[in-house]
């Protein structure tokens, strides 16, 4: 869905170039050049955009709820690992980029949702996503957020990334995380406390065409993901006036549960053993968070997370 909005913005930019407003396109290109590093330097959020009434209707459509399990001291910086990616990442956007829920539950903390750098190269679209509080997922960007000496910053990273969206089938509990340790290293380097976040219902919003590993479709999707940087899941849901087929997500509740923080001591040069140890602890806390709350959100007792 992000790609559809981005395509619209790029199309509008092309119209400016080809039409009688080419000078506006030139001025914007100059602005783009001068402003290129902003997504890696905390972005440029707008409380006005984040408070648009349309986001209230967006959250209530599913509905989307943010669940707090522990206080987060605003004197520290935090790295929140968000799971799973799903197709839409609706829980991350609805809870961390719109509305007052995060601010009310965790006063003194400012959330920054990190997304793929490729999106910030799209004219006009980059201004929109930055105004909502999104920043680049590059190392420089994460470091900028977590380097706040006074604390009070929270980096939200969708750990599974685009690759995990290919597993976003209803009922799926497979997370791409075993080889993803970069976020652990960043937390150690900056002394940012780690917080596991699990968004129940994220994978229930769409039905995806069957793409088991090893199938021709999955192979094509994985190759395209490596080339373009983002995945292309083939999905469908409901229509505007009927529920049989369309691209509007199903009305399934999303409960984004924020776990307890894992204290992290700053270590500028962590060893691979130290990274592996903290990674294993994070997986343990993530699994515990899921097990403690799955009954509340319709997950059968025999179901458990699968780490890949």
């Amino acid at each position: 869905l992000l790609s559809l909005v981005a395509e619209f913005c790029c199309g509008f930019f092309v119209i400016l170039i080809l039409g009688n407003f080419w000078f506006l396109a030139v001025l914007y290109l100059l602005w783009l050049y001068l402003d290129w590093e902003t997504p890696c330097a905390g972005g440029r959020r707008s409380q006005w955009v984040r408070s648009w009434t349309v986001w209230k209707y967006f959250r209530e459509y599913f509905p989307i709820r943010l669940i707090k399990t522990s206080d987060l001291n605003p004197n520290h910086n935090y790295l929140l690992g968000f799971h799973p990616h799903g197709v839409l990442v609706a829980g991350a956007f609805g809870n961390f980029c719109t509305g007052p829920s995060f601010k009310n539950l965790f006063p003194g903390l400012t959330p920054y949702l990190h997304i793929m750098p490729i999106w910030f190269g799209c004219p006009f679209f980059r201004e929109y996503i930055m105004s909502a509080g999104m920043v680049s997922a590059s190392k420089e960007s994460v470091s900028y957020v977590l380097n706040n000496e006074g604390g009070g910053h929270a980096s939200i990273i969708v750990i599974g990334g685009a690759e995990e969206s290919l597993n976003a089938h209803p009922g799926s509990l497979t997370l791409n995380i075993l080889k993803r340790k970069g976020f652990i290293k960043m937390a150690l380097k900056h002394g940012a406390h780690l917080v596991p976040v699990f968004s129940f219902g994220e994978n229930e919003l769409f039905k995806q065409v069957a793409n088991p590993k090893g199938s021709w479709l999955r192979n094509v999707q994985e190759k395209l993901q490596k080339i373009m940087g983002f995945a292309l899941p083939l999905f469908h849901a409901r229509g505007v006036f009927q529920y049989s087929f369309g691209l509007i997500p199903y009305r399934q509740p999303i409960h984004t549960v924020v776990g307890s923080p894992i204290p992290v001591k700053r270590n500028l040069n962590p060893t691979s053993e130290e990274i592996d140890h903290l990674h294993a602890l994070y997986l343990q806390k993530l699994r515990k968070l899921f097990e403690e709350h799955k009954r509340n959100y319709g997950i059968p007792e025999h179901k458990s997370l699968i780490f890949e």
Side-chain angles (χ1 to χ4, degrees):
L1 295 181
L2 274 178
S3 62
L4 292 176
V5 181
E7 287 174 8
F8 173 81
C9 292
C10 289
F12 178 70
F13 183 71
V14 171
I15 291 174
L16 288 181
I17 294 177
L18 299 179
N20 296 324
F21 301 98
W22 59 266
F23 62 94
L24 293 178
V26 172
L27 288 176
Y28 184 81
L29 285 176
L30 176 61
W31 162 257
L32 193 62
Y33 173 77
L34 296 174
D35 195 57
W36 189 254
E37 297 300 324
T38 300
C40 295
R44 186 171 46 250
R45 69 181 56 222
S46 165
Q47 192 55 43
W48 175 67
V49 173
R50 289 167 60 88
S51 301
W52 281 351
T53 302
V54 67
W55 303 136
K56 177 182 177 182
Y57 293 115
F58 171 77
R59 294 190 304 274
E60 292 300 324
Y61 171 81
F62 298 97
I64 297 173
R65 297 288 183 265
L66 187 64
I67 312 300
K68 172 182 175 179
T69 64
S70 176
D71 290 331
L72 298 181
N73 189 333
N75 293 325
H76 298 297
N77 293 316
Y78 297 89
L79 196 160
L80 279 63
F82 184 92
H83 313 271
H85 183 286
V87 171
L88 189 61
V89 205
F93 179 77
N95 287 309
F96 304 121
C97 296
T98 74
S101 295
F102 186 87
K103 181 179 180 180
N104 292 340
L105 292 177
F106 303 103
L109 285 182
T110 301
Y112 295 83
L113 179 60
H114 296 270
I115 64 174
M116 290 184 297
I118 189 175
W119 297 118
F120 296 97
C122 180
F124 302 117
F125 181 68
R126 69 189 297 272
E127 319 303 335
Y128 158 67
I129 56 180
M130 277 198 291
S131 66
M134 297 184 222
V135 292
S136 172
S138 66
K139 292 181 180 178
E140 295 79 10
S141 178
V142 177
S143 291
Y144 184 93
V145 173
L146 298 181
N147 263 337
N148 191 41
E149 293 195 7
H153 282 187
S155 281
I156 297 96
I157 301 178
V158 184
I159 305 300
E163 183 182 357
E164 193 173 84
S165 68
L166 300 178
N167 291 328
H169 297 272
S172 173
L173 296 173
T174 300
L175 304 181
N176 293 65
I177 192 172
L178 291 182
K179 296 181 181 179
R180 296 178 181 265
K181 300 180 182 180
F183 74 104
I184 298 292
K185 189 174 183 179
M186 293 298 292
L188 282 166
K189 281 191 171 184
H190 297 284
H193 295 352
L194 280 167
V195 182
V197 178
F198 195 87
S199 194
F200 292 89
E202 199 74 44
N203 284 339
E204 317 305 316
L205 306 185
F206 297 93
K207 292 179 180 178
Q208 190 172 167
V209 175
N211 60 342
K213 288 193 173 183
S215 65
W216 69 270
L217 175 58
R218 185 60 167 256
N219 291 335
V220 170
Q221 288 175 321
E222 290 176 348
K223 288 179 181 179
L224 288 175
Q225 187 260 322
K226 291 178 180 179
I227 295 172
M228 299 185 299
F230 57 90
L232 292 173
L234 298 180
F235 60 89
H236 66 89
R238 53 161 292 187
V240 178
F241 301 111
Q242 44 78 28
Y243 286 81
S244 57
F245 188 83
L247 294 178
I248 297 176
Y250 293 114
R251 298 191 70 175
Q252 295 290 335
I254 299 172
H255 295 90
T256 303
V257 183
V258 181
S260 301
I262 303 170
V264 177
K265 187 176 180 180
R266 190 174 188 182
N267 184 347
L268 294 178
N269 296 293
T271 64
S272 57
E273 290 78 13
E274 290 170 328
I275 293 173
D276 288 344
H277 174 75
L278 184 56
H279 186 261
L281 178 60
Y282 179 87
L283 294 183
Q284 176 186 335
K285 294 294 185 180
L286 175 59
R287 188 181 295 279
K288 181 181 178 182
L289 177 70
F290 174 81
E291 293 295 332
E292 288 179 346
H293 294 273
K294 66 180 184 180
R295 301 171 191 82
N296 299 332
Y297 307 115
I299 306 295
E301 186 65 31
H302 67 281
K303 290 279 190 176
S304 295
L305 293 179
I306 299 172
F307 296 146
E308 290 187 344

